[in-house]
Amino acid sequence: MRLCLLPFACFALAVQARAEVTLTVSDTTAEYSDVAFLQARLVNGELALNGQFILFAIEREDAEGNFRSVGEATTAVTNSDGIATGEIRLVNGWTSETTHELKPDRSEEERWASYSSGEYRIVARRQGGDLNIAYGTLTIRREQAALTVLPVTTVAGYEPTLKITLEDNGDNTRDWDFENGEAVQSNKVGIQGRTVSLYMDRNGDQQFYNCTAGGTCIDGHCVQCQSDEDCPGSVCDQGLCVAAAGENQCSVDEDCAPFFGVQGLHCLAGVCVAEACDYLGTAMTDKKGQAFLRFSTIPNEFGDPNVGYHELMLRAEFSGDDYYAGGGSKGDLEIAPGPLDMRQVPLTITRNNEQVTEVGTTEAVALEVRAYLSDNLGNLYGFNDKPYQITEGDCSSCAEDLCQDVMHPQCLIELNPADLVFEASSGIFITEIERNATDGAFVRQWRPTYSDDSEVRFSVRLGDLASQTQTIRLFDTSGCGCVATHPMTMLWWMALLVVRRRRRT
């Protein structure tokens, strides 16, 4: 019989013999596509067990309440503190046990047995000894996605390309793409195969409208159709399905009663125009997480968008899915005036900031003649905008500083605003040409002189290009001391004469 000479030592051996080996698992969270760190601790009473193998697995509860394995298991060894840490990459397609979410023909079982946002059960098993087992909870969150809208520079009326990037905000080392039917590792952070909605805030109110009353947003307006094929049994007339061409006509807004599937709001140039909208369409990200969409910058009936630098006019929205969180982003749009079109140049003749329609031949007044350079869409050139025209051929036929590729490679001819000439059929200009630094208008003072003509014709010319004419009526005031009188004043004089004649009678 074995004797215990030291009573305390005997007591310690007895306690250790009765101690229970326990395995515990810590709950943890991780985002999709990142690494989940699974941790378990193995102790015998208060004594940490070192060098023990722990198998970690992830399980998910099915509709019947049964837990089944998801993904691949991993093994870790306990350290001197009895702690084992396993790592599992939460990205589909990394191993054969999960199916990449972009595989188009995934079955319901493949969807269920792959990683997505939600709660999973962590199972830790001791390999050897008493084969202890413990459970914990893994919460997979949607990965944060960084959406970026790149700034766009274009020319009015042209179709620039809007470019966005959608990136994995928490993974800066590697990603998994879906190519040729399988998941392929890549060293970039772009999120592939996601649909992004794109907008252009036409009126600059920082509200991004889609078609609330039905229809599809096309070039800034909600339409019901684009061709007759969209209207079974009828025809497509200005975006609406009607019985016959020409029925979508109007003279006042009241003629634009609601049409089926789209709301007609107002009458424009004899046609019912539906509600305005900012929606451009959708685009899908490629392997680099980039998406592209061409859009039109032709202004609508309100002149939007106009030329200039527009902060945060472009917007992209990603609605998110079971793997990546949604979000939005805005970008800037800069629109330069198009080629100079002198036929669109507006001329105004004013006196004391009021429009003038007639003037006497000898009136001692100075009228202000104001001209704005304009492109073919009616966009006005600002003070810093240089007028230009486009020549034939590509950039190989012109100097490098006259080559531009905002639209496509082509040569420009720059015109000098200082060469602008004011012309009048009679009278004299009494000041030199000045240019307003605020709105870019060219201004010159003019005074009438005696002329046999009944009107004065004003125009401006730049090189061989001439504007449309603006006219004012010219009446003879020579030798009679007459001055221009407002028509309402003449009516009062005539009424006074009638009253005086009645009194004499």
Side-chain angles (χ1 to χ4, degrees):
M1 182 177 179
R2 188 175 181 181
L3 298 177
C4 185
L5 301 178
L6 298 176
F8 178 78
C10 293
F11 174 76
L13 289 174
V15 170
Q16 183 173 349
R18 294 196 304 269
E20 182 180 359
V21 176
T22 58
L23 180 66
T24 57
V25 178
S26 300
D27 295 338
T28 188
T29 62
E31 293 182 342
Y32 175 76
S33 84
D34 293 344
V35 173
F37 296 96
L38 311 179
Q39 195 171 88
R41 188 166 190 259
L42 184 67
V43 296
N44 185 353
E46 296 183 358
L47 177 64
L49 299 182
N50 186 19
Q52 302 294 307
F53 287 88
I54 305 297
L55 177 68
F56 291 98
I58 302 297
E59 294 182 344
R60 195 175 195 178
E61 186 176 13
D62 61 20
E64 288 74 31
N66 302 314
F67 282 91
R68 291 188 285 137
S69 178
V70 174
E72 190 176 48
T74 185
T75 302
V77 181
T78 59
N79 58 18
S80 59
D81 294 322
I83 297 175
T85 302
E87 298 181 7
I88 292 182
R89 182 77 188 274
L90 302 175
V91 60
N92 293 325
W94 183 41
T95 62
S96 59
E97 282 75 15
T98 57
T99 306
H100 198 283
E101 65 267 16
L102 295 184
K103 182 183 177 183
D105 56 349
R106 285 190 304 163
S107 65
E108 288 300 320
E109 175 62 23
E110 288 176 322
R111 292 173 184 270
W112 184 89
S114 297
Y115 301 119
S116 60
S117 59
E119 286 195 352
Y120 296 75
R121 187 170 75 170
I122 305 171
V123 182
R125 291 183 176 87
R126 181 187 181 191
Q127 303 294 96
D130 296 333
L131 299 177
N132 304 84
I133 188 170
Y135 302 98
T137 300
L138 167 65
T139 302
I140 300 179
R141 303 191 307 268
R142 296 188 298 173
E143 176 66 279
Q144 298 302 305
L147 183 61
T148 304
V149 179
L150 277 68
V152 175
T153 300
T154 187
V155 173
Y158 284 79
E159 292 189 351
T161 298
L162 176 56
K163 176 183 176 181
I164 67 96
T165 60
L166 185 65
E167 297 180 341
D168 186 337
N169 203 31
D171 182 6
N172 297 317
T173 56
R174 58 184 178 176
D175 210 335
W176 291 82
D177 299 326
F178 190 76
E179 297 181 20
N180 302 321
E182 61 180 0
V184 179
Q185 185 175 356
S186 61
N187 295 320
K188 52 82 185 170
V189 293
I191 302 176
Q192 177 194 16
R194 266 64 185 186
T195 299
V196 180
S197 298
L198 306 173
Y199 296 81
M200 177 175 65
D201 181 17
R202 291 182 179 271
N203 60 0
D205 64 355
Q206 288 299 297
Q207 300 293 321
F208 296 86
Y209 303 104
N210 204 339
C211 296
T212 58
T216 303
C217 189
I218 301 295
D219 292 336
H221 284 99
C222 298
V223 300
Q224 187 182 24
C225 57
Q226 294 181 263
S227 64
D228 291 346
E229 287 74 18
D230 301 329
C231 303
S234 57
V235 297
C236 184
D237 184 17
Q238 301 293 327
L240 298 178
C241 292
V242 293
E247 288 195 3
N248 182 21
Q249 295 183 351
C250 57
S251 56
V252 294
D253 288 353
E254 285 72 16
D255 296 336
C256 298
F259 288 85
F260 174 76
V262 69
Q263 179 72 38
L265 292 186
H266 58 278
C267 185
L268 174 67
V271 175
C272 290
V273 177
E275 66 173 316
C277 53
D278 300 326
Y279 181 69
L280 297 177
T282 60
M284 182 171 291
T285 57
D286 59 17
K287 291 187 298 183
K288 296 182 179 180
Q290 300 174 345
F292 306 87
L293 182 71
R294 294 183 64 84
F295 66 100
S296 174
T297 58
I298 296 178
N300 59 17
E301 69 273 19
F302 306 110
D304 302 319
N306 56 14
V307 299
Y309 191 83
H310 305 282
E311 291 188 66
L312 308 180
M313 177 171 275
L314 304 173
R315 179 171 175 81
E317 294 179 355
F318 171 52
S319 59
D321 50 28
D322 290 337
Y323 314 95
Y324 293 93
S329 178
K330 295 180 181 179
D332 300 337
L333 173 64
E334 183 176 9
I335 304 178
L340 177 66
D341 187 349
M342 292 295 288
R343 297 169 300 175
Q344 299 289 334
V345 169
L347 288 172
T348 60
I349 297 97
T350 60
R351 180 171 59 190
N352 298 328
N353 296 322
E354 293 185 2
Q355 195 81 15
V356 174
T357 59
E358 62 179 5
V359 69
T361 56
T362 60
E363 286 191 59
V365 296
L367 305 185
E368 184 180 83
V369 183
R370 181 179 292 258
Y372 298 85
L373 297 186
S374 171
D375 65 9
N376 60 340
L377 294 174
N379 294 305
L380 304 183
Y381 279 77
F383 181 76
N384 295 316
D385 295 325
K386 295 181 179 180
Y388 68 94
Q389 288 192 306
I390 299 176
T391 65
E392 297 292 335
D394 56 24
C395 288
S396 61
S397 60
C398 63
E400 183 177 351
D401 59 342
L402 292 178
C403 173
Q404 68 82 36
D405 56 3
V406 171
M407 299 165 282
H408 51 80
Q410 55 191 343
C411 290
L412 305 181
I413 298 177
E414 286 190 356
L415 305 174
N416 189 353
D419 296 335
L420 189 72
V421 176
F422 279 69
E423 298 177 330
S425 59
S426 66
I428 58 173
F429 289 100
I430 59 176
T431 62
E432 297 298 325
I433 299 176
E434 295 181 358
R435 194 172 189 187
N436 189 302
T438 302
D439 59 9
F442 295 85
V443 182
R444 200 172 186 189
Q445 300 287 329
W446 173 89
R447 179 176 293 171
T449 58
Y450 180 77
S451 174
D452 292 332
D453 296 333
S454 60
E455 65 178 16
V456 184
R457 297 178 299 279
F458 295 91
S459 64
V460 292
R461 180 169 45 84
L462 185 59
D464 297 331
L465 307 173
S467 71
Q468 303 285 345
T469 59
Q470 178 70 280
T471 63
I472 61 173
R473 192 175 75 85
L474 189 66
F475 58 91
D476 189 0
T477 56
S478 63
C480 67
C482 301
V483 295
T485 305
H486 196 280
M488 291 301 296
T489 305
M490 296 297 296
L491 290 176
W492 281 107
W493 279 108
M494 293 178 64
L496 180 60
L497 290 174
V498 171
V499 171
R500 293 184 65 183
R501 286 180 178 178
R502 286 181 176 177
R503 285 181 177 176
R504 289 177 181 177
T505 303

